[in-house]
Amino acid sequence: AQSVTQLDSQVPVFEEAPVELRCNYSSSVSVYLFWYVQYPNQGLQLLLKYLSGSTLVKGINGFEAEFNKSQTSFHLRKPSVHISDTAEYFCAVSQGGSEKLVFGKGTKLTVNP
Amino acid sequence: DGGITQSPKYLFRKEGQNVTLSCEQNLNHDAMYWYRQDPGQGLRLIYYSQIVNDFQKGDIAEGYSVSREKKESFPLTVTSAQKNPTAFYLCASSIRGRYSPLHFGNGTRLTVT
């Protein structure tokens, strides 16, 4: 079965610093990859998705992610974070013919002034 | 505006009582999902439905039941058989297809004492 590993449960950074949130998945067979963001006591919002094509995907709020098939990774990056980026971030994978998404356990990003 | 409405936002019940969580969408999506979120556990799939009058168990369906009588509605009942029902419950919907992103409601926080 497909699994998703988010390597860091918490990431503290200072405002305007760059950040990378790491995500690895278990299978390289025909996957579709997503990053979602969750603000406190809210649902999840889609940040970006990789379906095919260019391995560098740009999303909302200045975030981007790079699909690396050989390393089965889909790390999320932002060159300069804001206080408002404080939230929990989830990586998710849909494999092959499945319509179900498998989610990682989440990474809490805290941006400090 | 189109979206997903979950109600109520907070729900309190006594142990041994069944409780039903509401989820309504006006996005005209065929597929709907229920996830459970616990701190540090990510999202776990309870049930999903791809068309009206049909639904499938997810990874943690025991102690839960659903119905899908209308395209717009996918209520979740947490029964007294669910051993640990206190959690944050998220409903989502999508266009059918394995690369379709999920749209989430804002969740219902259920507390059972």
Side-chain angles (χ1 to χ4, degrees):
Chain A
Q2 181 68 259
S3 66
V4 179
T5 302
Q6 291 186 242
L7 294 153
D8 305 294
S9 60
Q10 298 190 50
V11 173
V13 293
F14 288 109
E15 196 173 15
E16 297 183 7
V19 71
E20 178 180 83
L21 306 183
R22 298 179 292 169
C23 173
N24 286 89
Y25 57 93
S26 61
S27 171
S28 61
V29 176
S30 185
V31 291
Y32 304 102
L33 298 152
F34 305 82
W35 274 100
Y36 287 85
V37 60
Q38 184 181 34
Y39 299 101
N41 292 313
Q42 292 187 23
L44 279 68
Q45 302 172 30
L46 181 68
L47 269 182
L48 49 80
K49 61 186 178 187
Y50 171 79
L51 305 180
S52 64
S54 172
T55 57
L56 185 63
V57 180
K58 293 193 184 297
I60 61 171
N61 301 341
F63 283 93
E64 62 182 33
E66 185 157 18
F67 171 58
N68 188 319
K69 187 175 181 179
S70 62
Q71 296 188 7
T72 60
S73 68
F74 190 54
H75 300 334
L76 181 70
R77 301 186 183 104
K78 186 169 182 178
S80 175
V81 293
H82 304 289
I83 299 284
S84 60
D85 292 322
T86 294
E88 190 158 18
Y89 293 79
F90 291 92
C91 181
V93 176
S94 170
Q95 180 187 353
S98 172
E99 295 195 23
K100 294 191 295 181
L101 279 187
V102 176
F103 285 85
K105 293 187 176 182
T107 297
K108 285 188 179 173
L109 174 65
T110 302
V111 181
N112 297 301
Chain B
D1 284 341
I4 299 179
T5 301
Q6 290 188 245
S7 60
K9 189 167 179 65
Y10 298 96
L11 193 52
F12 298 88
R13 281 295 183 269
K14 296 287 187 186
E15 197 172 318
Q17 294 178 335
N18 291 355
V19 59
T20 298
L21 281 60
S22 169
C23 177
E24 303 278 332
Q25 56 102 356
N26 60 4
L27 298 165
N28 199 32
H29 286 170
D30 288 307
M32 296 188 74
Y33 306 79
W34 274 105
Y35 286 91
R36 171 181 171 139
Q37 185 177 18
D38 297 283
Q41 295 296 314
L43 276 69
R44 293 180 290 170
L45 183 63
I46 304 172
Y47 269 98
Y48 65 104
S49 168
Q50 295 175 328
I51 55 173
V52 175
N53 292 323
D54 188 42
F55 49 82
Q56 287 79 40
K57 292 182 179 180
D59 301 316
I60 57 164
E62 186 175 349
Y64 299 98
S65 66
V66 294
S67 62
R68 187 88 187 275
E69 297 176 2
K70 298 187 299 181
K71 187 175 185 178
E72 307 79 30
S73 179
F74 191 41
L76 173 75
T77 297
V78 184
T79 75
S80 56
Q82 169 47 235
K83 291 185 170 58
N84 195 11
T86 294
F88 190 51
Y89 291 88
L90 286 162
C91 180
S93 71
S94 71
I95 299 167
R96 279 197 71 181
R98 54 189 178 269
Y99 51 82
S100 298
L102 299 179
H103 297 256
F104 283 85
N106 280 331
T108 291
R109 189 167 298 279
L110 174 64
T111 303
V112 177
T113 58

